[in-house]
Amino acid sequence: MELMDPTVPPPQRGYARAPALTALQGKTIGLLTNGKVNGDVLITETAALFSARHGCEVTPMFSKNNASAPAPDGLLEEIAGQADFLLTAMGD
């Protein structure tokens, strides 16, 4: 019998949070849907509120098409090149 220790530490990753935005006025919103039903509706309606209240611009919606998988390679970098912040949501 071989015993396995499930308490090993997780791998170290080099992720860091982006600095908080100081204001939303005039910022550009990136939209990312995961392919679930109504997720795109929720994101679109939320973006409309940001646009009306803060004058935000909105990018065309991006999609990762699979709620259980990470975004495809390069997609988040592409969105980051076009937007100041990202809205994403799950539907159903």
Side-chain angles (χ1 to χ4, degrees), residues 73-90:
D73 288 343
L75 180 61
L76 295 179
E77 289 83 7
E78 181 180 354
I79 297 170
Q82 298 179 32
D84 298 301
F85 66 101
L86 175 70
L87 293 179
T88 187
M90 295 178 63

Side-chain angles (χ1 to χ4, degrees), residues 6 10 17 19 22 24 41 45 54 57 67 73-74 79-81 84 87 91:
R17 292 183 71 145
T22 57
L24 296 175
V41 176
E45 292 294 322
H54 303 286
E57 297 292 322
D73 288 343
I79 297 170
D84 298 301
L87 293 179

Side-chain angles (χ1 to χ4, degrees), residues 18-39:
L21 296 174
T22 57
L24 296 175
Q25 192 66 33
K27 299 293 184 190
T28 300
I29 307 168
L31 307 178
L32 176 64
T33 183
N34 66 1
K36 286 193 161 230
V37 176
N38 294 323

Side-chain angles (χ1 to χ4, degrees), residues 47-56:
L49 291 173
F50 276 93
S51 184
R53 294 178 184 177
H54 303 286
C56 294

Side-chain angles (χ1 to χ4, degrees), residues 2 43-44 77 80:
E2 182 179 352
I43 295 168
T44 301
E77 289 83 7

